[in-house]
Amino acid sequence: MKPMFRRLALGLSAMAALLTASSALAQDKQVNLGVAIPTATHGFTGGIVWWANEAKKELEKQHPGLKITVKTAANASEQANQLQDLLTVNKINTLVVFPFESAALTRPVAQVKGKGVYVTVVDRGLTDANAQDAYVAGDNTAFGRIPAEYLVKRLNGKGNIVALRGIATTIDNERMDAFKAVLKNHPDIKLLDARYANWNRDDAFKVMQDYLTRFKQIDAVWAADDDMAVGVLKAIEQSKRTDIQEVFGGAGSKGMVKAILEGKNKLVQADVSYSPKFIYDAIKLTAEARLKGEALPPKTIIPSVLITKENAQQFYFPNSPF
Amino acid sequence: MPPEPTDSLRPGATALGASEGTPLHRVRALLQGFGPLLGLIVLCIAGTALNGDFATLDNVMNVLTRTAFIGIIAVGMCFVIISGGIDLSVGSMAALIAGVMILLMNRLAPSLSSPTSVIALGIGFALLLGALFGLVHGLLIARGGIEPFIVTLGTLGIFRAYLTYFADGGAITLDSDLSDAYGPVYYASFLLPVPVWVFLAVALGGALILNRTAYGRYVQAIGSNEQVARYAAVDVNRIKVLTYMLLGVCVGIATVLYVPRLGSSSPTTGLLWELEAIAAVIVGGTALKGGSGTITGTVVGAILLSVISNILNLTSVISVYLNSAVQGFVIIAVAFMQRRRKGAS
């Protein structure tokens, strides 16, 4: 089975190489870019899909030599299959991939790169950096550090904070560690507890209800995600508690940014950006560099920025689903 | 030679078993019937010991209110499982009904002046849609002759994919004016919060239907032996279709209560609710292979499951990484307490 498959793949890729070579001769500086991203199952991934299609629309119009194919996958093995399709059917010469899982996608991506495709990896890194040409990501450390610094300032260095976590992953650990690292320098700020609410509104609602039962004095909540912040705000509203001064979400969803702009909810004053727009930036940077025949820097970090009323307008994208 | 001692021993053994076993057996049967209730009581004592706030009225109401969704779905699921079927799609179905219902209400809002009529229409639509989905399941299973596991596994994907499509991958959110008007359906309280009343009503209705109607007895008959039921001139197909429709309506009711809570539906809404509902039914003493089960057990099972996660959130004794493991242990332990009931019947 395996050797046959390998031979078949080899044959197909040889054909593909021939075909791309001939088309490359016909029209030089053609960039045929494939985008492989997770399918929309959560507000954030919904945003990723929307921004990827937005990039396709705008960039193809700007650059006649550019063709973009977007593929969404529901799990790691489906994504691996799509990478093969992109190579053999769509004959891409450039790939922008948001890996579904770091470890599982490392070999499939390495294989694509081995066929001479230029590879940009976005957000979730691969376990072996040799499988990529460039890496573009949001800043997870800042995602945890910025809210901690903001809340310390807001509470004048003294008070009780509860936190909600996403799903047990390395990204979540990175954010939590950065958050705790800031609090370490402020011994009068107490982190009462941090529970998983799975980046889910319903779970966040329940976890917050239980926090409210358990702790008589909570000064601020780090919801660590705008979806979770929605559930947290509802639970606080229902309990009619007035001790909480701030609910800090994360990622800059349009609902939260709008709330900051309007200033109607006094609990929501700030957010930290971690926009799914980075897939747009990654596609744009990669496409433009490749059209010029250049390479990207090996690592590009799209900075996470504190969003407040002053700068919120720049982060408000009313047409995006996120 | 060898048969002799066994023969001579056997009457003594049975006599011994009969004389000492009957009261013992009765006690054990009682214990097994009360397995989930016993488990719940033990958990509540543990919860109070771990955190004094566990037994406060507010917390009890929180737990009961959040149980309402799963509990209502579990009552419908109880019928389906007793009849020998299963429905894996309820979580996706709830999410899709919630999404479509919100879209409809948002669309109706400008043309109808009173938000109450918009909400009433939305509620009616949700129940109807639930019944319709149930009808489709029932027809495919009973008339189409496809395994319920396969049919509902298929619709599990279909429902969620359509929700994701309608939501454009993001969230479908209820108009804020409508949200304010609809809010009381979840948040209001007349002695008990509204969802708890509805949960009670559904459970009572379910128990009555299961135990006091011909339909209920047919459901149990089909579950214990479909072939015999057929010979007894039970219209098996019709009963099966009705069972899935009943579950669909229960999902609709749960959705009607769910929407005012957060006023939105997203692709993560209702994830794994099917497993929670099935777990509630099984922990409540219903046999997964069908035939027998009780609504009371199902209600206790549903409450038991929410109490576990509530206790875990109220204490920091156990690492947060192990929350699901604790739930798994308790589910297996309670099921173990009543394992012999299925073999005995």
Side-chain angles (χ1 to χ4, degrees):
Chain A
M1 177 75 189
K2 236 183 178 168
M4 199 174 86
F5 179 72
R6 196 172 293 159
R7 212 177 302 152
L8 197 73
L10 224 80
L12 281 174
S13 53
M15 257 163 65
L18 269 172
L19 281 165
T20 40
S22 59
S23 63
L25 279 175
Q27 325 141 290
D28 60 345
K29 291 282 168 69
Q30 272 283 356
V31 171
N32 189 348
L33 191 148
V35 178
I37 48 180
T39 196
T41 54
H42 166 250
F44 181 76
T45 44
I48 293 276
V49 175
W50 189 82
W51 277 110
N53 285 311
E54 204 67 1
K56 175 181 163 72
K57 240 190 322 193
E58 287 180 19
L59 297 172
E60 279 186 346
K61 210 185 294 166
Q62 286 169 24
H63 307 286
L66 178 69
K67 185 171 174 297
I68 297 179
T69 315
V70 178
K71 297 259 186 198
T72 62
N75 54 53
S77 70
E78 190 181 347
Q79 194 171 49
N81 292 342
Q82 286 176 350
L83 289 180
Q84 285 182 329
D85 290 347
L86 281 171
L87 194 66
T88 54
V89 181
N90 303 90
K91 304 181 181 62
I92 55 162
N93 55 21
T94 309
L95 173 72
V96 174
V97 57
F98 186 126
F100 209 96
E101 280 168 27
S102 307
L105 264 306
T106 298
R107 271 189 61 80
V109 172
Q111 235 160 17
V112 173
K113 184 175 179 246
K115 300 278 153 48
V117 172
Y118 185 88
V119 176
T120 300
V121 172
V122 184
D123 194 47
R124 297 176 198 167
L126 297 173
T127 45
D128 177 6
N130 286 325
Q132 69 202 20
D133 291 292
Y135 177 62
V136 178
D139 191 342
N140 282 301
T141 311
F143 190 97
R145 192 192 68 233
I146 288 172
E149 288 169 351
Y150 174 86
L151 290 176
V152 166
K153 218 161 148 198
R154 180 80 208 276
L155 301 179
N156 294 323
K158 193 170 182 329
N160 295 334
I161 297 179
V162 291
L164 286 84
R165 308 186 61 163
I167 295 171
T169 49
T170 49
I171 295 181
D172 189 71
N173 290 342
E174 208 177 304
R175 294 171 175 182
M176 196 70 218
D177 291 345
F179 188 82
K180 280 186 184 155
V182 173
L183 294 195
K184 211 183 260 168
N185 304 324
H186 301 275
D188 290 337
I189 298 252
K190 255 216 314 254
L191 181 62
L192 297 173
D193 201 1
R195 295 264 154 188
Y196 289 104
N198 308 321
W199 288 313
N200 179 308
R201 296 176 184 204
D202 297 325
D203 294 352
F205 180 84
K206 292 182 207 166
V207 169
M208 193 62 210
Q209 271 193 333
D210 293 342
Y211 277 154
L212 290 167
T213 305
R214 187 171 155 198
F215 302 115
K216 295 294 159 242
Q217 175 69 38
I218 300 171
D219 297 297
V221 183
W222 181 41
D225 176 73
D226 289 341
D227 258 0
M228 293 200 287
V230 172
V232 167
L233 287 167
K234 278 284 177 189
I236 295 173
E237 194 184 306
Q238 185 205 17
S239 73
K240 304 197 172 65
R241 285 265 293 258
T242 52
D243 48 336
I244 298 135
Q245 300 168 41
E246 179 93 28
V247 173
F248 198 108
S253 75
K254 67 175 173 186
M256 280 298 156
V257 175
K258 191 160 171 246
I260 293 169
L261 272 173
E262 289 174 346
K264 275 186 197 154
N265 192 337
K266 69 176 179 50
L267 292 179
V268 182
Q269 302 286 339
D271 201 347
V272 58
S273 72
Y274 191 84
S275 169
K277 184 168 179 279
F278 63 49
I279 191 78
Y280 176 96
D281 295 333
I283 296 170
K284 188 173 148 89
L285 289 170
T286 310
E288 286 176 349
R290 297 303 294 158
L291 283 164
K292 280 186 247 160
E294 291 168 3
L296 282 182
K299 197 167 181 180
T300 311
I301 297 291
I302 311 282
S304 287
V305 184
L306 183 69
I307 305 173
T308 56
K309 199 162 183 168
E310 285 74 49
N311 64 353
Q313 198 60 51
Q314 300 165 39
F315 295 92
Y316 187 49
F317 307 107
N319 293 329
S320 159
F322 184 65
Chain B
M1 273 301 271
E4 226 173 305
T6 23
D7 272 344
S8 59
L9 259 173
R10 200 177 277 155
T14 36
L16 201 90
S19 61
E20 276 187 15
T22 318
L24 201 89
H25 185 76
R26 206 171 289 161
V27 169
R28 187 186 279 157
L30 208 68
L31 267 180
Q32 278 154 4
F34 284 107
L37 197 59
L38 206 73
L40 183 58
I41 292 168
V42 170
L43 269 179
C44 288
I45 293 169
T48 318
L50 286 166
N51 188 318
D53 289 324
F54 174 78
T56 56
L57 187 68
D58 277 346
N59 189 51
V60 172
M61 285 306 138
N62 278 349
V63 171
L64 287 179
T65 314
R66 71 176 69 150
T67 312
F69 312 123
I70 296 295
I72 290 169
I73 295 174
V75 168
M77 185 69 81
C78 186
F79 278 83
V80 167
I81 291 181
I82 289 177
S83 82
I86 193 94
D87 190 335
L88 299 178
S89 75
V90 289
S92 305
M93 195 198 286
L96 178 59
I97 295 176
V100 179
M101 178 187 176
I102 293 171
L103 285 177
L104 179 87
M105 290 196 289
N106 284 349
R107 185 121 346 140
L108 285 176
S111 50
L112 287 168
S113 50
S114 84
T116 322
S117 51
V118 174
I119 290 163
L121 276 171
I123 290 175
F125 177 75
L127 300 181
L128 202 74
L129 201 60
L132 185 78
F133 286 151
L135 178 70
V136 173
H137 280 158
L139 288 177
L140 283 170
I141 291 161
R143 307 237 172 233
I146 315 174
E147 284 290 323
F149 189 93
I150 301 300
V151 170
T152 56
L153 185 66
T155 50
L156 167 125
I158 295 171
F159 292 150
R160 195 166 293 283
Y162 271 97
L163 170 70
T164 312
Y165 173 74
F166 289 137
D168 214 358
I172 303 176
T173 308
L174 190 62
D175 223 61
S176 64
D177 289 342
L178 280 175
S179 212
D180 293 341
Y182 199 169
V185 172
Y186 181 83
Y187 292 106
S189 176
F190 308 96
L191 287 175
L192 298 175
V194 178
V196 178
W197 283 118
V198 178
F199 182 22
L200 260 172
V202 169
L204 269 176
L208 281 179
I209 293 174
L210 186 64
N211 300 318
R212 307 279 151 159
T213 65
Y215 164 77
R217 241 157 281 144
Y218 291 155
V219 168
Q220 301 182 33
I222 293 173
S224 49
N225 194 329
E226 195 177 321
Q227 213 54 42
V228 170
R230 250 179 235 281
Y231 291 143
V234 174
D235 188 347
V236 171
N237 285 356
R238 201 175 64 92
I239 300 291
K240 275 192 180 172
V241 172
L242 280 175
T243 306
Y244 285 95
M245 285 179 77
L246 185 80
L247 173 55
V249 172
C250 284
V251 174
I253 297 172
T255 311
V256 165
L257 296 175
Y258 172 80
V259 168
R261 176 155 107 181
L262 298 175
S264 72
S265 177
S266 74
T268 48
T269 300
L271 271 182
L272 299 183
W273 280 11
E274 56 279 346
L275 292 188
E276 283 181 51
I278 294 170
V281 174
I282 301 304
V283 165
T286 301
L288 189 54
K289 59 178 190 286
S292 69
T294 64
I295 301 291
T296 340
T298 301
V299 169
V300 174
I303 296 173
L304 189 120
L305 294 181
S306 344
V307 166
I308 303 170
S309 64
N310 177 243
I311 291 176
L312 290 170
N313 278 340
L314 291 180
T315 53
S316 323
V317 183
I318 293 156
S319 159
V320 285
Y321 292 110
L322 289 175
N323 277 8
S324 324
V326 175
Q327 284 170 324
F329 284 128
V330 175
I331 290 174
I332 294 172
V334 172
F336 184 76
M337 279 198 258
Q338 53 197 14
R339 74 206 180 281
R340 239 163 264 170
R341 247 177 97 206
K342 289 158 214 163
S345 63

